[in-house]
Amino acid sequence: MLRQFKIQHRLIGTFLVVSILPILFLGYYSYQLYSESINDKLSKSTFQALSLVNKNLLAELQNYQFLCGSISTNEFVQENLSKGLKQEPINEKAKEDAMDAIFRTIFPSHVINVSIFDAEHRLFYELGFETVDNHSLVQAMRDVDANAPYDGLTYVKTMRSYDTVVLGRKIHAMEDSTVPIGYAFIFISGDLFSKNILSSVNLGTGSKMMIMGRDGTVLSANDEETPLGGPYLDPELIRQIKDHQQQDIHSFSLQVNGAEQQVSYIYNEQIGWYLISLLPFSYINSETSKITVSMTIIMILMVICCIIIISFMSSSIVKPIKKIISFCNQISTGNFSSRIKDDKEDEMAILSYKINMMVDEIEHLMQNQKLDQKRKRELELQMLQSQINPHFLFNTLNTLRWLAIINHVPVLSNGISSLSELLRSTILDRDEQITIRQELENLSNYFEIQKIRYADSFQVEYDLDEKLLDCLIPKLILQPVAENAIIHGLSEHSKAIEIRISVQQQEELICIEITDNGKGFDTSAVQETDRTSNKKLSGIGITNVDERIKLYYGESYGLFITSIIGEGTCCRIIIPVQKTP
């Protein structure tokens, strides 16, 4: 595919790729490394900031927990809540005095209401600064029950629409801590968390901090646009936080509200809240964008330098190539008078020198071509003469056959006819493979010729599977085996022998057997004689037959001979079935 472009263009492209790719790789690697380093450091610093904020929150919340604890352990509250279970009347003045005594001890500045309920959810005491609806109170009680034995936090909105976080605690009897006798609720102004604590920490441009309950309810946030008292705008946030909490991962990246954010969180198990920070990656990557601009400028400058260098380099390569092309165009028109002049020492100069040598050789070859033309005409005449000889031989044999017929000598006529056909199949037929039918016809002609020599010393029988006669086999593999049967089968006492030829199929193989009941022989001695002697009609021995079969089909096939002296010989040829196309 590259050869479709000119060398000059390939050189420019190669230099640009080789120069730009490392820059891009290093730039990308540096960018990723720098970004990961910034993310890691910001993740750690954010988590440290969250830890400090969390400590401040817990420290501030301890005042309210202390107030809640003072109410829960107050003797008057304990005694009257226990009486409330027995439906006994309560001394209101004594209740007010007891509560005033508690509030004089501790009353944090952001408390907007205090409520106490008995175990049956009936109001025991309420400070009355701000009130909430019954639905919010029921939800707060549920949260306290769910977080027991720890305190519970619930977001509520007062009747005058103030954002409030309710700290609730279940009150147990002092005599038996397993018996719940009521609830104590401290209503804390939402400004304590959102403005006094969360807003005092700025993690970066676009960052957010919020307090979220374990169920995903937003209790407080430093962003006024974040709705409180319900699930966060992106429900995937709390799900991902809980998934990472199981893996003990406190910082991770997440697509929140359509923007990639770095999320960090701290979970307070006793209070049941998550302190969460969201830091946008646009702020994190603001520094890396400056590096990207600088690297882009550097890369452009390096590309310009590379183009200038490439122009000089390509000129030193392309100009000699164009000179060679121009010279080759002259050679193609038959002009051999000029030569390439290049006295430099680089590869192009060596190529020019070699081309000049090739042109010299071409001139020399053209001079010899005229002599070769004359020699070619002489060889063509000799080829015509060699073609005349076989035709002359077959015409002569045909003439002798007709003379034998005219003189009523059928034996001679049949012998000449068989010899003619046998020679025609071996001399004129150039096919390497023929059908079994054709090979048997050649074998029949061979038997006719041998009967002239040996008279009636042998008889031939055939046992053929007609379905296999059109299968292909190598030419001239049966005649040497049959010749071996005649030569080694006839005895000195002129006893006639029977030669049986069988062609049968055994599974996926063809088995051709040539057996005789002659005198038999020592197979090892005959094979050694066969390798060293060519005194055969065809000049092909049985060893050659075996080697040819193995070359055609593989080592598992071939010619297998068994002979018993005095009983006869069996030659078995095993080849695969090969149908004609």
Side-chain angles (χ1 to χ4, degrees), residues 14 71 125 167 319 345 401 415 424 432 441:
T14 301
I71 294 172
Y125 173 82
L167 174 67
K319 280 186 178 180
E345 297 181 358
R401 185 173 69 85
R424 189 184 306 278
E432 290 290 332
E441 289 175 0

Side-chain angles (χ1 to χ4, degrees), residues 439-457:
E439 183 71 0
L440 290 174
E441 289 175 0
N442 293 337
L443 190 60
S444 176
N445 291 327
Y446 170 74
F447 283 138
E448 287 296 328
I449 295 171
Q450 291 291 47
K451 283 182 179 180
I452 297 174
R453 177 179 177 184
Y454 295 103
D456 294 327
S457 298

Side-chain angles (χ1 to χ4, degrees), residues 361-471:
E361 185 67 21
I362 290 173
E363 281 189 313
H364 179 69
L365 291 174
M366 290 180 65
Q367 293 174 358
N368 293 335
Q369 186 179 15
K370 296 179 181 179
L371 299 176
D372 292 340
Q373 291 294 332
K374 181 179 179 181
R375 178 61 180 165
K376 182 180 179 181
R377 287 193 294 271
E378 294 176 355
L379 292 175
E380 288 176 349
L381 181 60
Q382 292 177 4
M383 289 177 63
L384 288 174
Q385 291 174 349
S386 65
Q387 291 177 354
I388 292 172
N389 291 336
H391 290 289
F392 175 75
L393 174 62
F394 289 124
N395 290 336
T396 302
L397 289 174
N398 194 39
T399 301
L400 293 175
R401 185 173 69 85
W402 282 108
L403 287 175
I405 293 173
I406 293 171
N407 289 281
H408 304 287
V409 187
V411 175
L412 182 60
S413 174
N414 293 337
I416 293 174
S417 178
S418 299
L419 177 60
S420 179
E421 290 300 321
L422 185 60
L423 291 176
R424 189 184 306 278
S425 66
T426 56
I427 296 176
L428 297 183
D429 189 359
R430 302 296 183 182
D431 293 334
E432 290 290 332
Q433 287 186 311
I434 59 176
T435 63
I436 295 177
R437 191 187 308 277
Q438 292 172 314
E439 183 71 0
L440 290 174
E441 289 175 0
N442 293 337
L443 190 60
S444 176
N445 291 327
Y446 170 74
F447 283 138
E448 287 296 328
I449 295 171
Q450 291 291 47
K451 283 182 179 180
I452 297 174
R453 177 179 177 184
Y454 295 103
D456 294 327
S457 298
F458 63 90
Q459 297 295 326
V460 182
E461 293 182 1
Y462 294 90
D463 179 13
L464 308 176
D465 186 345
E466 294 292 333
K467 295 184 294 184
L468 301 176
L469 297 183
D470 291 325
C471 294

Side-chain angles (χ1 to χ4, degrees), residues 309-339:
I309 295 172
I310 290 168
S311 299
F312 287 105
M313 292 292 294
S314 62
S315 177
S316 65
I317 297 174
V318 173
K319 280 186 178 180
I321 293 177
K322 289 182 177 179
K323 188 184 296 185
I324 292 173
I325 293 173
S326 177
F327 175 74
C328 292
N329 290 333
Q330 293 180 10
I331 297 299
S332 64
T333 60
N335 182 9
F336 294 92
S337 59
S338 62
R339 294 291 183 271

Side-chain angles (χ1 to χ4, degrees), residues 143 153-157 162-166 217-219 228-230:
D143 291 341
L153 285 178
T154 306
Y155 170 84
V156 298
K157 190 176 283 291
Y162 283 108
D163 293 326
T164 307
V165 176
V166 180
T217 301
V218 180
L219 304 179
L228 306 179

